[in-house]
Amino acid sequence: MPTAAPHRPADLPGGRPAAARTGRSFALPRGTGRTAARIAALTVCQGALMVGLGLLITGPARGLWPMTVEDDVNEGFEHARTGALTTLSLFGSEAGNTLTVIAVTVLACAGLLLIPRLPMWRQAAFLSVAVSLQALVFLVITESVDRQRPDVHRLDASPPTSSYTSGHTGAATALYGGLAVLALSRLRGPWRRIVGALLLLVPVAVAVARLYRGMHHPTDVVGGLVNGSLSLMIVGRALFTDGSVTAPAGASPTPSFASAEDGPGAPGPGRTVVIFNPTVTGEADREALRRVLERHGHRAPVFTETTAEDPGTGQAADAVRDGARLVVVCGGDGTLRAAADALAGSGVPLAVVPCGTGNLLARNLGLPLSPTGALDAALSGTPHRLDLGRIEGDGLTATHFAAMAGAGLDAEIMEHTDDRAKSVLGWPAYVLAGIGTLRTPRMRLTVRLDDAPAVRRTARMVLIGNVGTVQGGTTLLPAARPDDGRLDLLLLDPRGVSGWIRALATLVRGGGRPSRPSAEETVVARDDDGSGVPVEFFTFRRAELTFDSTQSRELDGDPVAPGRRLTAEVRPGALTVLLPAGGA
């Protein structure tokens, strides 16, 4: 979805003050009260849901399956006991013990605040609040639902609480599930998924151990898993997805890495500013990038992070205003687009460091996809002037895009791609989302390119590109180049299975250049049967697209407000980018 010298924060466009980049502050972040109220309201709903399920299990549904076979499950575990399994179950049960959970939570939060150079307040709050809320809801449940423990020999002393739900399982789910979320989002490399999977297995092990030891019915441990998961979802969405909590106005969310003689502070003349997305650029990544910068003579780089409210535009505008000699952008295409919007026409060189899922511009510029490799290659290269697309529409304020913009099928894919799936799977998450959107309704639109007459078209996808290649190496706009002073347009309109086959064949063989008429050459292309051709390519300097109905829209992979109009024009050479020899 938080270093020290006094510095008056500059105002962002619209009069909104930018966060200062220096000094620690103990002021509460903006939006804390609103977020707390939202969490509280959802927690009340969570408690009501869990109590309702408990009353259903112990009341009207107690004679229904699977409640009718729960005793058999408990007796089966009792009969399967052995000395070795009993010892293993003790370790599993203790992983969800109250004292263990409190100790691990305190140690984990202390580590998040004290070990990194930048304290991870948001991550620590996520973990501690989720564990605490789970415990609070558990207490409400046990006071509201009276359920006897299984009628088997129990290996532990029975606590004075109801069997429903399993407090051990709920606490383990909130704690270890929360740690798994942080591991998957912050760690890098092959160990990320292994660590995440192992952490997610702990609550399952605790649940099985509680069943084995005769302490709960199966529905009790399932209730614990649900209770802990709901707490994680509520707190995680509030702190990481909604973006209503932002950095305090008087505190910087990032370290400056400035040397003592330079002193910390906002970027001064000649400074190097690194704008990074904290969700995809961890502390280790920033340290590695700092070393690369210093190796190339960029001393005391100033690191500033993006926020949900300002994904990079304000930070880049501040850097330009403060005289930065180089802006490094670490993030995905959305972060890059936001920064490029402020850098357009400034002449300040940009170094692209791909840290996101798509990284379309980096791929098309031939940059290494390793963050340090891309930065090293850029700093070893020379400035190149690249085009940007300027786009606006109904409900869409004029802005720029660096790679692609579109409506229809591709925008639907972006809307339906889950952020967690992207963090775990990478770009294949788009493929999975695309499977469910292939039946996106055909749209009708009017296309006017430059000074040519308007033409009518039907399409499932409209794609405007400054570059041509997307994830997985697939080329959708074979003739597109980011420095040719033009933008390219793809209209995709396959009909039936044969139409999709023809469309895919056209895209795979890269036949874009022969079918890429300019605006003056635009004609109404038809097949012999009178239906529209499955793929059309055009090139233009300015395009006006008017849809008959409201359509989903996206800019550089980020969904934007749906609408019925898009106006796009090229800004030749608007962005200065450092590229290695042979780039672009």
Side-chain angles (χ1 to χ4, degrees), residues 14 28 60 71 73 110 125 127 173 204 234-235 247 316 348 362 374 378 385 432 450 523 579:
L28 287 175
D71 290 341
V73 174
L127 192 63
T173 303
V204 179
I234 290 171
V235 180
V348 177
R385 299 181 70 85
L432 295 178
D450 296 333
V523 293
L579 295 177

Side-chain angles (χ1 to χ4, degrees), residues 448-463:
R448 182 186 297 274
L449 303 179
D450 296 333
D451 297 324
V455 296
R456 292 286 292 172
R457 286 292 190 271
T458 60
R460 293 191 183 275
M461 182 174 79
V462 173
L463 191 65

Side-chain angles (χ1 to χ4, degrees), residues 189-215:
W191 284 100
R192 179 172 68 104
R193 296 179 186 176
I194 296 175
V195 171
L198 291 175
L199 287 167
L200 289 174
L201 286 175
V202 176
V204 179
V206 172
V208 173
R210 298 303 284 170
L211 290 174
Y212 177 92
R213 300 180 73 81
M215 303 307 297

Side-chain angles (χ1 to χ4, degrees), residues 61-126:
R62 65 176 178 271
L64 302 177
W65 189 93
M67 274 63 71
T68 54
V69 299
E70 287 193 297
D71 290 341
D72 296 336
V73 174
N74 287 114
E75 291 171 1
F77 274 107
E78 183 181 31
H79 294 152
R81 290 174 184 170
T82 66
L85 289 178
T86 298
T87 301
L88 286 175
S89 72
L90 177 61
F91 286 108
S93 181
E94 286 300 309
N97 182 278
T98 301
L99 293 179
T100 303
V101 169
I102 292 175
V104 174
T105 302
V106 170
L107 289 174
C109 291
L112 289 168
L113 299 178
L114 300 178
I115 294 177
R117 184 189 297 264
L118 174 65
M120 297 183 180
W121 291 101
R122 194 183 296 255
Q123 288 76 12
F126 163 68

